[in-house]
Amino acid sequence: MKKQYILLLVFVMSVFVAHTQTVKVLDWQRNSPLEFVTINSTKAGVSALTTQAGIADISMFKGADSIFFSRLGHQNIVTSWQALLADNFVIYMRESNYSLDEVVISATRWAQPRKELTSRVTTIRPEEIEIDNPQTTADLLGMTGEVFIQKSQQGGGSPMIRGFATNRLLISVDGVRMNTAIFRSGNIQNIINIDPYTIEQAEVLYGPGSVMYGSDAIGGVMNFTSLNPRFSADNKVITSGRASTRYSSANEELSSHIHVNVGGKKWAAVSSFSFNRFGDLRMGSNGPDFYLRKEYVKRIDGADVVVQNENPEVQVPSGFEMGSFMQKISYRLNDNWEFQYGFNYSTTTDYDRYDRLLRYRKGAPRSAEWYYGPQNWMMNRFTVIHKQERKLFDQMVLNLSSQLFEESRHDRDFGKTTLSERFEKVNAYGLNLDFMKKISDRSKFLYGGELVLNKVTSTGLDTEITDGTSVKGPARYPDSDWLSAAVFATYQYQLTEKTLVQAGARYNYVSLKADFDTTFYKFPFQTTSTKNGALTGSLGLNYTPDERWILRAGLSTGFRAPNVDDVGKVFDSEPGSVVVPNPNLKPEYAYNAEIDVAHIFADRLKLDVSAFYTLLDQAMVRRDFTFNGQDSILYDGEMSKVQAIQNASQATVYGLQLAAEWKMDNGFSVFSHLTWQQGEEELDDGSKGPLRHSAPLFGITRLSYMSKGLRLDLYAQYANEVPFGDMPKSELGKTYLYPADADGNIFSPGWYTLNFKVMKQISETFSLTGGVENITDQRFMPYSSGLVSPGRNFIFSLNMKF
């Protein structure tokens, strides 16, 4: 009897299988499965959706003459049952050449199609990250050709956008502000804590973004969305992930990464871990000998000794290691409520401030050692998403976050035995509440509030390296509380089918309270506080007469409120100068106008031109100052000129961003990005001088070929020279970084690299990525940097998706 039941079950299953037909949908360029492909036919009420494996049951379409396949960002396909049968139920979809429906988040903090944007936004997608294979997120941004990257050491990368950098740019990760109250005007390195392996999408919003993001968003916003947990479409638990390993020859890099997603219908989680080891970086062989690292300092038998570098092309010491971990857990209560907890942790080993090790004094190295301690970042985030039509909103997102930042600086003069150590810790707490309400078919209202609190703790030690004993030393910052509270709103209105207007405003209150330690410096105050309000706004227009033209124009303002680094820092800005606190600072404001025009020719060629002008008023800049009536004080054993950050300047920057892209039917495509900008700032004497963070003309040009799992890229990156006459005043004293021209004046040479990358999808599981960067082995240092860029660099990466 039991045997009969088994036979019956087998028969029923065979009948079911016989009447079930699946289709597999693959990306034509990458030969990889496509998820979320919608399948329809003329039969009403019948549709299907592909799974993560690109598979869908299409039994209900049997015999249909017209079956439609559609997916955002891909060209629609219409086929028939008989055609699918002839192709063994495998179908390939090509990417759309140009799509205005691509989803962008950074402009309004909400997902919206690109066709609704009123400002320029660059999107970096996962497939671009995979082919470029960047070592750090800073390198990833630099490969856009629209963000210029400065490096003082290998463990770093400071973006420069439209003439602004550091604390005049804002970094956002999963909707959480990463800027802290100690982000400085000098170059910052925090962006390397964002693991490029975990980036699901990166966006760069150009121009002021203060209406949505608050203080610091003057030159632009870099918004990163990391891997999100993926749910199952039914009660079956799905498991997926990726493992990667990479080797680079220029610094003997070894990197490994793995992430795993487990998803059910209501619960989903993704875990990620990455480890990177970077050795000392080798520069190229064709370029100025000025950059060669001929000697360096070693500690031998209790003494500092200058030793000859066996290979002057190797920048000793510049290596370091880094590790990152991420965990996200999501729970979907129903179609209206979703909850997510996210945890990020990133840390580095000690890494040397390479440019500081290049300075000399009286014929000997000034520093025996100068390094940063581990740069740690930890974020806990809890997000609530609610979607339901209500009187006040249709969608709501609540973000609660807690971040911990830890960093330190350690330096010791050559021949001395006292190591100066400065430790900083910032606890950053945030609350963001965003609402979206659709007023009508033609308008929607986006509004919300933000509360941010930073608690800064700073300590100093002077350590005797001969016996390891330490005594208290001066701290870099006063212990401080920095508070920001804001409300904001944006209104979008579709004037006509072709015209959209957008207006926004934000009021921000910022306060700071700092307690100064007068043990080492007899400040004329022990406590200081600032309270400032800032009102910013934006007005934008989007005109799309047809699918070939798009015009964007906008006016916007931005602001940066004084932070702890501005008000309370004591540090050596350059040899012989010391910056002291100034409690009388006020916010600086940016006023921006821009226009962007794009045109698509015959669905093959796209040209995009943006022009912008920004005025920075009441700019916080470093100027000569007095301290207790003195213009010089003794600092770290050296008589130093007193300076302070002051509202003492105006700055202007204007420029063009050009983009051209040509896609051909045979799988070839060409694109080029070029950025030109000119910046000026007011100097001490009232004259005008070049703006430090206004990069020279730079860009990228790329030739690509894609066909069923194979991609080949040949591209060039380049930047113009900065002649002596265009060098900012702050750079003129850095003769240890810049070579001399024929007249004996420093300048920053122009440069280029020629590069080749290949990506091959071996199977649905394995892919290989490789290539050669800087094929001609150029030796160059990008403007304002302190580290020579890598020479010829061979890259190999093996990737597994499951």
Side-chain angles (χ1 to χ4, degrees):
M1 188 70 176
K2 184 176 180 181
K3 184 177 180 180
Q4 291 175 330
Y5 282 129
I6 294 175
L7 291 173
L8 180 61
L9 180 61
V10 171
F11 173 75
V12 171
M13 291 179 63
S14 65
V15 171
F16 176 76
V17 172
H19 287 82
T20 300
Q21 178 60 60
T22 61
V23 67
K24 188 161 195 174
V25 185
L26 301 173
D27 182 277
W28 186 85
Q29 285 92 341
R30 282 170 286 279
N31 198 36
S32 56
L34 281 178
E35 187 179 11
F36 303 127
V37 176
T38 301
I39 307 171
N40 298 98
S41 75
T42 53
K43 187 176 180 180
V46 177
S47 65
L49 192 69
T50 58
T51 65
Q52 189 175 2
I55 294 173
D57 180 4
I58 58 168
S59 305
M60 69 287 287
F61 302 127
K62 187 174 182 179
D65 293 328
S66 298
I67 303 176
F68 306 92
F69 291 78
S70 60
R71 187 181 190 269
L72 187 65
H74 284 73
Q75 299 177 19
N76 294 338
I77 291 178
V78 182
T79 186
S80 67
W81 182 270
Q82 289 300 319
L84 286 173
L85 181 64
D87 291 332
N88 296 316
F89 292 95
V90 176
I91 194 165
Y92 289 89
M93 296 186 72
R94 291 176 179 262
E95 285 188 354
S96 303
N97 281 346
Y98 306 103
S99 175
L100 294 179
D101 293 320
E102 179 185 26
V103 174
V104 175
I105 298 172
S106 57
T108 62
R109 298 173 64 97
W110 290 96
Q112 61 180 145
R114 184 173 289 275
K115 62 186 177 183
E116 294 182 2
L117 298 181
T118 60
S119 56
R120 186 185 184 97
V121 175
T122 293
T123 301
I124 308 173
R125 297 180 296 174
E127 52 267 27
E128 295 166 335
I129 300 174
E130 192 170 359
I131 184 69
D132 285 331
N133 230 336
Q135 292 189 348
T136 68
T137 298
D139 295 332
L140 171 66
L141 292 172
M143 289 177 178
T144 63
E146 296 184 291
V147 179
F148 194 88
I149 300 297
Q150 181 277 350
K151 288 189 179 183
S152 298
Q153 65 279 329
Q154 192 173 190
S158 188
M160 298 163 64
I161 300 174
R162 287 191 174 183
F164 299 102
T166 62
N167 55 16
R168 289 175 178 149
L169 301 176
L170 189 127
I171 305 171
S172 174
V173 181
D174 290 331
V176 177
R177 173 193 180 94
M178 198 179 188
N179 290 41
T180 72
I182 62 171
F183 265 37
R184 54 193 180 274
S185 58
N187 301 302
I188 57 173
Q189 323 303 333
N190 299 71
I191 202 163
I192 69 169
N193 284 116
I194 303 171
D195 181 6
Y197 279 116
T198 64
I199 295 175
E200 198 163 77
Q201 182 162 300
E203 297 172 0
V204 181
L205 169 67
Y206 298 95
S210 288
V211 168
M212 286 296 163
Y213 293 94
S215 179
D216 303 1
I218 286 179
V221 176
M222 294 161 283
N223 185 62
F224 299 93
T225 302
S226 60
L227 294 169
N228 275 307
R230 305 169 75 93
F231 291 91
S232 172
D234 49 38
N235 291 320
K236 182 181 179 181
V237 175
I238 59 170
T239 302
S240 61
R242 178 186 175 188
S244 300
T245 184
R246 182 178 62 232
Y247 168 78
S248 300
S249 65
N251 55 1
E252 299 293 330
E253 177 212 8
L254 288 175
S255 293
S256 299
H257 165 80
I258 186 170
H259 71 257
V260 178
N261 184 94
V262 179
K265 193 169 184 179
K266 287 188 172 293
W267 288 92
V270 60
S271 304
S272 169
F273 175 76
S274 299
F275 174 78
N276 314 91
R277 190 196 74 189
F278 306 107
D280 292 331
L281 184 64
R282 185 190 66 82
M283 66 182 74
S285 58
N286 300 310
D289 289 345
F290 174 85
Y291 295 132
L292 292 174
R293 178 69 158 154
K294 298 178 182 179
E295 58 188 23
Y296 59 94
V297 178
K298 288 186 70 174
R299 187 79 175 167
I300 301 175
D301 296 330
D304 292 330
V305 179
V306 177
V307 299
Q308 297 301 303
N309 191 355
E310 293 181 357
N311 183 354
E313 292 180 355
V314 176
Q315 299 173 81
V316 182
S318 59
F320 75 108
E321 295 178 357
M322 182 166 59
S324 301
F325 174 74
M326 185 192 76
Q327 177 68 60
K328 287 186 180 181
I329 303 172
S330 292
Y331 173 64
R332 185 175 289 165
L333 179 64
N334 50 43
D335 291 340
N336 300 328
W337 290 94
E338 184 176 329
F339 306 89
Q340 185 181 100
Y341 167 73
F343 174 79
N344 294 75
Y345 180 75
S346 175
T347 185
T348 70
T349 58
D350 294 346
Y351 56 97
D352 293 274
R353 175 73 187 265
Y354 182 77
D355 64 335
R356 292 295 177 97
L357 300 176
L358 303 178
R359 301 176 301 170
Y360 278 72
R361 180 168 52 189
K362 296 180 180 179
R366 177 177 176 180
S367 298
E369 49 186 332
W370 209 121
Y371 63 92
Y372 291 108
Q375 181 171 288
N376 300 325
W377 171 56
M378 181 175 68
M379 179 171 73
N380 288 275
R381 176 184 54 84
F382 181 69
T383 302
V384 180
I385 302 172
H386 180 45
K387 299 178 181 179
Q388 190 171 11
E389 290 188 15
R390 296 177 178 272
K391 288 184 178 180
L392 297 179
F393 63 88
D394 299 327
Q395 296 184 51
M396 177 207 76
V397 176
L398 170 66
N399 247 341
L400 301 172
S401 63
S402 170
Q403 298 180 84
L404 172 65
F405 300 85
E406 293 178 312
E407 58 187 55
S408 60
R409 293 159 178 80
H410 311 259
D411 67 277
R412 181 175 61 85
D413 286 348
F414 183 79
K416 304 294 185 181
T417 58
T418 299
L419 180 67
S420 174
E421 302 185 276
R422 306 294 178 258
F423 301 87
E424 284 78 54
K425 182 172 73 172
V426 180
N427 290 98
Y429 307 97
L431 183 153
N432 290 87
L433 191 57
D434 291 87
F435 299 96
M436 181 172 70
K437 177 63 182 177
K438 185 177 180 181
I439 307 298
S440 68
D441 291 338
R442 302 175 67 179
S443 63
K444 58 183 175 183
F445 190 50
L446 316 171
Y447 64 101
E450 180 185 67
L451 184 65
V452 177
L453 172 64
N454 282 193
K455 299 184 75 68
V456 178
T457 304
S458 183
T459 57
L461 290 177
D462 291 331
T463 301
E464 179 61 41
I465 65 170
T466 55
D467 59 13
T469 58
S470 298
V471 296
K472 184 179 178 181
R476 181 177 171 88
Y477 300 113
D479 288 349
S480 311
D481 289 344
W482 185 87
L483 176 69
S484 170
V487 290
F488 53 87
T490 294
Y491 180 70
Q492 286 185 349
Y493 184 70
Q494 194 78 41
L495 277 174
T496 68
E497 184 180 348
K498 300 176 181 180
T499 306
L500 179 144
V501 293
Q502 176 177 297
R506 179 189 186 103
Y507 179 76
N508 217 124
Y509 169 82
V510 181
S511 69
L512 186 154
K513 182 178 181 298
D515 297 320
F516 291 88
D517 184 350
T518 58
T519 303
F520 299 95
Y521 304 105
K522 301 303 179 184
F523 297 118
F525 43 79
Q526 292 184 338
T527 300
T528 188
S529 62
T530 63
K531 296 179 181 179
N532 293 294
L535 180 64
T536 53
S538 64
L539 180 64
L541 169 74
N542 181 308
Y543 177 61
T544 310
D546 54 44
E547 293 183 352
R548 296 173 299 161
W549 282 97
I550 186 165
L551 168 69
R552 302 184 183 97
L555 300 172
S556 57
T557 61
F559 81 101
R560 186 174 76 83
N563 64 18
V564 177
D565 185 84
D566 299 310
V567 173
K569 177 172 59 177
V570 178
F571 80 113
D572 57 322
S573 60
E574 57 192 16
S577 297
V578 59
V579 172
V580 300
N582 177 11
N584 300 313
L585 278 175
K586 301 294 181 182
E588 58 185 16
Y589 288 88
Y591 303 91
N592 180 75
E594 63 183 283
I595 186 169
D596 178 62
V597 181
H599 183 57
I600 299 172
F601 299 85
D603 199 36
R604 287 291 177 267
L605 175 65
K606 180 182 179 181
L607 298 180
D608 192 340
V609 181
S610 295
F612 63 90
Y613 178 90
T614 305
L615 167 67
L616 184 66
D617 192 31
Q618 292 296 304
M620 289 183 272
V621 293
R622 194 169 64 230
R623 292 286 187 264
D624 290 345
F625 201 59
T626 59
F627 181 74
N628 288 339
Q630 298 177 305
D631 61 5
S632 298
I633 63 173
L634 192 67
Y635 178 74
D636 273 359
E638 180 178 357
M639 186 59 67
S640 301
K641 182 172 61 176
V642 174
Q643 296 181 321
I645 306 297
Q646 304 171 58
N647 296 106
S649 178
Q650 276 193 344
T652 59
V653 59
Y654 54 90
L656 296 172
Q657 290 174 276
L658 310 174
E661 188 170 5
W662 179 27
K663 293 189 176 181
M664 295 165 262
D665 286 330
N666 55 9
F668 284 95
S669 64
V670 180
F671 85 78
S672 188
H673 288 167
L674 193 66
T675 300
W676 172 81
Q677 55 201 286
Q678 190 72 38
E680 288 185 332
E681 65 176 331
E682 185 179 355
L683 303 179
D684 288 342
D685 59 3
S687 62
K688 300 288 186 179
L691 186 64
R692 177 189 175 191
H693 290 129
S694 181
L697 177 74
F698 70 99
I700 186 172
T701 299
R702 189 184 297 256
L703 170 66
S704 299
Y705 173 76
M706 291 187 288
S707 175
K708 290 192 176 180
L710 175 67
R711 176 168 174 175
L712 305 174
D713 277 27
L714 179 67
Y715 63 98
Q717 287 187 272
Y718 39 84
N720 256 8
E721 169 188 313
V722 180
F724 174 73
D726 291 339
M727 292 291 285
K729 182 180 179 180
S730 61
E731 299 296 291
L732 295 180
K734 300 176 182 178
T735 56
Y736 56 94
L737 293 182
Y738 296 103
D741 60 19
D743 297 322
N745 298 315
I746 66 167
F747 77 114
S748 179
W751 55 268
Y752 78 92
T753 63
L754 186 64
N755 316 273
F756 175 75
K757 298 283 180 67
V758 58
M759 182 173 67
K760 174 61 179 174
Q761 191 76 37
I762 301 172
S763 65
E764 289 185 16
T765 302
F766 291 99
S767 66
L768 289 174
T769 307
V772 187
E773 295 176 334
N774 194 0
I775 295 172
T776 58
D777 207 29
Q778 298 297 302
R779 180 189 300 154
F780 65 97
M781 182 185 289
Y783 164 71
S784 191
S785 292
L787 184 78
V788 184
S789 290
R792 186 180 296 115
N793 186 28
F794 294 93
I795 302 170
F796 175 79
S797 177
L798 175 64
N799 310 291
M800 180 180 72
K801 293 183 179 180
F802 54 90

Short mmCIF file of all heavy atoms in Angstrom, two decimals, residues 110-140:
data_model
loop_
_atom_site.label_atom_id
_atom_site.label_comp_id
_atom_site.label_asym_id
_atom_site.label_seq_id
_atom_site.Cartn_x
_atom_site.Cartn_y
_atom_site.Cartn_z
N TRP A 110 15.16 61.13 -0.73
CA TRP A 110 14.16 60.15 -1.12
C TRP A 110 14.51 59.60 -2.51
O TRP A 110 15.06 60.32 -3.34
CB TRP A 110 12.75 60.77 -1.19
CG TRP A 110 12.19 61.13 0.15
CD1 TRP A 110 12.24 62.35 0.75
CD2 TRP A 110 11.52 60.26 1.05
NE1 TRP A 110 11.62 62.30 1.97
CE2 TRP A 110 11.17 61.03 2.19
CE3 TRP A 110 11.16 58.91 1.01
CZ2 TRP A 110 10.48 60.49 3.27
CZ3 TRP A 110 10.47 58.37 2.09
CH2 TRP A 110 10.14 59.15 3.21
N ALA A 111 14.16 58.34 -2.74
CA ALA A 111 14.37 57.76 -4.07
C ALA A 111 13.46 58.47 -5.07
O ALA A 111 12.26 58.59 -4.85
CB ALA A 111 14.08 56.27 -4.04
N GLN A 112 14.06 58.93 -6.17
CA GLN A 112 13.29 59.61 -7.19
C GLN A 112 13.96 59.38 -8.54
O GLN A 112 15.18 59.17 -8.61
CB GLN A 112 13.18 61.11 -6.92
CG GLN A 112 14.51 61.83 -6.90
CD GLN A 112 14.37 63.32 -6.62
OE1 GLN A 112 15.21 63.89 -5.97
NE2 GLN A 112 13.34 63.95 -7.12
N PRO A 113 13.20 59.39 -9.64
CA PRO A 113 13.81 59.20 -10.96
C PRO A 113 14.68 60.40 -11.33
O PRO A 113 14.41 61.54 -10.93
CB PRO A 113 12.61 59.06 -11.89
CG PRO A 113 11.48 59.70 -11.17
CD PRO A 113 11.73 59.50 -9.71
N ARG A 114 15.72 60.13 -12.11
CA ARG A 114 16.64 61.19 -12.51
C ARG A 114 15.93 62.32 -13.26
O ARG A 114 16.37 63.48 -13.21
CB ARG A 114 17.74 60.57 -13.38
CG ARG A 114 18.84 61.52 -13.80
CD ARG A 114 19.97 60.82 -14.50
NE ARG A 114 20.74 60.01 -13.58
CZ ARG A 114 21.74 60.48 -12.82
NH1 ARG A 114 22.06 61.76 -12.89
NH2 ARG A 114 22.41 59.69 -12.02
N LYS A 115 14.84 62.00 -13.93
CA LYS A 115 14.14 63.02 -14.71
C LYS A 115 13.51 64.10 -13.82
O LYS A 115 13.07 65.14 -14.33
CB LYS A 115 13.07 62.39 -15.59
CG LYS A 115 11.96 61.67 -14.83
CD LYS A 115 11.04 60.96 -15.79
CE LYS A 115 9.97 60.16 -15.04
NZ LYS A 115 9.10 59.39 -15.98
N GLU A 116 13.45 63.89 -12.50
CA GLU A 116 12.91 64.88 -11.59
C GLU A 116 13.98 65.76 -10.95
O GLU A 116 13.67 66.67 -10.18
CB GLU A 116 12.08 64.21 -10.48
CG GLU A 116 10.82 63.53 -10.97
CD GLU A 116 10.03 62.91 -9.82
OE1 GLU A 116 10.46 63.07 -8.66
OE2 GLU A 116 8.99 62.28 -10.09
N LEU A 117 15.25 65.49 -11.23
CA LEU A 117 16.33 66.23 -10.58
C LEU A 117 16.41 67.66 -11.10
O LEU A 117 16.19 67.93 -12.28
CB LEU A 117 17.67 65.55 -10.82
CG LEU A 117 17.85 64.13 -10.26
CD1 LEU A 117 19.25 63.62 -10.57
CD2 LEU A 117 17.59 64.10 -8.78
N THR A 118 16.76 68.58 -10.20
CA THR A 118 17.00 69.96 -10.60
C THR A 118 18.47 70.35 -10.41
O THR A 118 18.83 71.51 -10.56
CB THR A 118 16.12 70.93 -9.78
OG1 THR A 118 16.42 70.77 -8.39
CG2 THR A 118 14.65 70.63 -10.03
N SER A 119 19.32 69.37 -10.06
CA SER A 119 20.75 69.62 -9.90
C SER A 119 21.52 68.42 -10.44
O SER A 119 20.95 67.35 -10.66
CB SER A 119 21.11 69.87 -8.44
OG SER A 119 20.68 68.81 -7.63
N ARG A 120 22.81 68.59 -10.64
CA ARG A 120 23.64 67.54 -11.22
C ARG A 120 24.00 66.51 -10.16
O ARG A 120 24.44 66.84 -9.06
CB ARG A 120 24.90 68.15 -11.82
CG ARG A 120 25.77 67.14 -12.58
CD ARG A 120 27.08 67.79 -13.05
NE ARG A 120 27.87 66.87 -13.85
CZ ARG A 120 27.87 66.82 -15.16
NH1 ARG A 120 27.09 67.67 -15.84
NH2 ARG A 120 28.62 65.96 -15.83
N VAL A 121 23.84 65.23 -10.51
CA VAL A 121 24.18 64.11 -9.62
C VAL A 121 24.90 63.05 -10.44
O VAL A 121 24.43 62.66 -11.52
CB VAL A 121 22.92 63.49 -8.96
CG1 VAL A 121 23.31 62.26 -8.14
CG2 VAL A 121 22.21 64.52 -8.08
N THR A 122 26.04 62.58 -9.95
CA THR A 122 26.75 61.46 -10.55
C THR A 122 26.44 60.20 -9.76
O THR A 122 26.51 60.20 -8.53
CB THR A 122 28.27 61.70 -10.55
OG1 THR A 122 28.57 62.78 -11.43
CG2 THR A 122 29.02 60.46 -11.01
N THR A 123 26.09 59.13 -10.46
CA THR A 123 25.76 57.85 -9.84
C THR A 123 26.84 56.83 -10.20
O THR A 123 27.21 56.70 -11.35
CB THR A 123 24.39 57.34 -10.30
OG1 THR A 123 23.39 58.31 -9.96
CG2 THR A 123 24.04 56.02 -9.62
N ILE A 124 27.33 56.13 -9.18
CA ILE A 124 28.29 55.06 -9.39
C ILE A 124 27.59 53.75 -9.04
O ILE A 124 27.21 53.52 -7.89
CB ILE A 124 29.54 55.24 -8.51
CG1 ILE A 124 30.12 56.64 -8.69
CG2 ILE A 124 30.60 54.18 -8.85
CD1 ILE A 124 31.25 56.96 -7.73
N ARG A 125 27.45 52.88 -10.03
CA ARG A 125 26.68 51.65 -9.85
C ARG A 125 27.61 50.47 -9.54
O ARG A 125 28.82 50.52 -9.79
CB ARG A 125 25.84 51.38 -11.10
CG ARG A 125 24.81 52.46 -11.37
CD ARG A 125 24.01 52.15 -12.62
NE ARG A 125 24.85 52.15 -13.81
CZ ARG A 125 24.41 51.79 -15.02
NH1 ARG A 125 23.15 51.41 -15.17
NH2 ARG A 125 25.22 51.80 -16.06
N PRO A 126 27.06 49.37 -9.00
CA PRO A 126 27.89 48.23 -8.61
C PRO A 126 28.75 47.67 -9.74
O PRO A 126 29.89 47.27 -9.51
CB PRO A 126 26.85 47.20 -8.13
CG PRO A 126 25.68 48.00 -7.69
CD PRO A 126 25.64 49.18 -8.61
N GLU A 127 28.21 47.62 -10.96
CA GLU A 127 28.99 47.06 -12.07
C GLU A 127 30.21 47.92 -12.39
O GLU A 127 31.25 47.40 -12.83
CB GLU A 127 28.12 46.88 -13.31
CG GLU A 127 27.34 48.09 -13.74
CD GLU A 127 25.94 48.13 -13.15
OE1 GLU A 127 25.73 47.55 -12.05
OE2 GLU A 127 25.06 48.74 -13.78
N GLU A 128 30.11 49.24 -12.15
CA GLU A 128 31.25 50.11 -12.38
C GLU A 128 32.30 49.91 -11.28
O GLU A 128 33.51 49.96 -11.54
CB GLU A 128 30.79 51.58 -12.42
CG GLU A 128 29.89 51.88 -13.61
CD GLU A 128 29.17 53.20 -13.48
OE1 GLU A 128 28.98 53.66 -12.33
OE2 GLU A 128 28.79 53.78 -14.50
N ILE A 129 31.84 49.67 -10.06
CA ILE A 129 32.76 49.39 -8.96
C ILE A 129 33.49 48.09 -9.24
O ILE A 129 34.70 47.96 -8.97
CB ILE A 129 31.99 49.31 -7.63
CG1 ILE A 129 31.29 50.65 -7.35
CG2 ILE A 129 32.93 48.94 -6.48
CD1 ILE A 129 30.40 50.62 -6.12
N GLU A 130 32.78 47.11 -9.80
CA GLU A 130 33.37 45.80 -10.04
C GLU A 130 34.47 45.86 -11.09
O GLU A 130 35.52 45.22 -10.93
CB GLU A 130 32.28 44.81 -10.47
CG GLU A 130 32.73 43.36 -10.46
CD GLU A 130 31.58 42.39 -10.65
OE1 GLU A 130 30.42 42.85 -10.76
OE2 GLU A 130 31.84 41.19 -10.68
N ILE A 131 34.30 46.62 -12.14
CA ILE A 131 35.33 46.69 -13.18
C ILE A 131 36.49 47.58 -12.75
O ILE A 131 37.66 47.28 -13.03
CB ILE A 131 34.74 47.18 -14.53
CG1 ILE A 131 35.81 47.15 -15.63
CG2 ILE A 131 34.16 48.57 -14.41
CD1 ILE A 131 36.25 45.79 -16.05
N ASP A 132 36.21 48.67 -12.04
CA ASP A 132 37.29 49.57 -11.61
C ASP A 132 38.11 48.97 -10.47
O ASP A 132 39.29 49.27 -10.32
CB ASP A 132 36.72 50.92 -11.19
CG ASP A 132 36.31 51.76 -12.39
OD1 ASP A 132 36.91 51.59 -13.46
OD2 ASP A 132 35.39 52.58 -12.26
N ASN A 133 37.48 48.14 -9.64
CA ASN A 133 38.19 47.43 -8.57
C ASN A 133 39.03 48.37 -7.71
O ASN A 133 40.24 48.15 -7.54
CB ASN A 133 39.09 46.35 -9.20
CG ASN A 133 38.88 45.00 -8.55
OD1 ASN A 133 38.44 44.91 -7.41
ND2 ASN A 133 39.21 43.95 -9.26
N PRO A 134 38.45 49.41 -7.11
CA PRO A 134 39.25 50.38 -6.35
C PRO A 134 39.74 49.79 -5.03
O PRO A 134 39.07 48.95 -4.41
CB PRO A 134 38.26 51.51 -6.10
CG PRO A 134 36.93 50.83 -6.06
CD PRO A 134 37.01 49.72 -7.07
N GLN A 135 40.90 50.26 -4.57
CA GLN A 135 41.42 49.80 -3.28
C GLN A 135 40.66 50.44 -2.13
O GLN A 135 40.45 49.82 -1.09
CB GLN A 135 42.91 50.11 -3.17
CG GLN A 135 43.77 49.29 -4.13
CD GLN A 135 45.26 49.45 -3.86
OE1 GLN A 135 45.68 50.32 -3.11
NE2 GLN A 135 46.06 48.59 -4.47
N THR A 136 40.27 51.71 -2.30
CA THR A 136 39.53 52.42 -1.25
C THR A 136 38.38 53.19 -1.89
O THR A 136 38.32 53.36 -3.11
CB THR A 136 40.43 53.41 -0.50
OG1 THR A 136 40.79 54.49 -1.38
CG2 THR A 136 41.68 52.73 0.04
N THR A 137 37.48 53.69 -1.06
CA THR A 137 36.36 54.47 -1.57
C THR A 137 36.84 55.80 -2.13
O THR A 137 36.22 56.34 -3.06
CB THR A 137 35.33 54.69 -0.45
OG1 THR A 137 34.82 53.41 -0.04
CG2 THR A 137 34.16 55.53 -0.91
N ALA A 138 37.94 56.34 -1.61
CA ALA A 138 38.50 57.56 -2.19
C ALA A 138 38.93 57.30 -3.63
O ALA A 138 38.69 58.11 -4.53
CB ALA A 138 39.69 58.04 -1.36
N ASP A 139 39.57 56.15 -3.88
CA ASP A 139 39.97 55.80 -5.25
C ASP A 139 38.75 55.65 -6.14
O ASP A 139 38.77 56.01 -7.33
CB ASP A 139 40.77 54.50 -5.25
CG ASP A 139 42.10 54.64 -4.51
OD1 ASP A 139 42.64 55.76 -4.46
OD2 ASP A 139 42.59 53.63 -3.98
N LEU A 140 37.67 55.10 -5.59
CA LEU A 140 36.44 54.93 -6.36
C LEU A 140 35.91 56.27 -6.84
O LEU A 140 35.55 56.43 -8.02
CB LEU A 140 35.39 54.23 -5.50
CG LEU A 140 33.97 54.16 -6.06
CD1 LEU A 140 33.93 53.30 -7.31
CD2 LEU A 140 33.00 53.64 -5.01
#
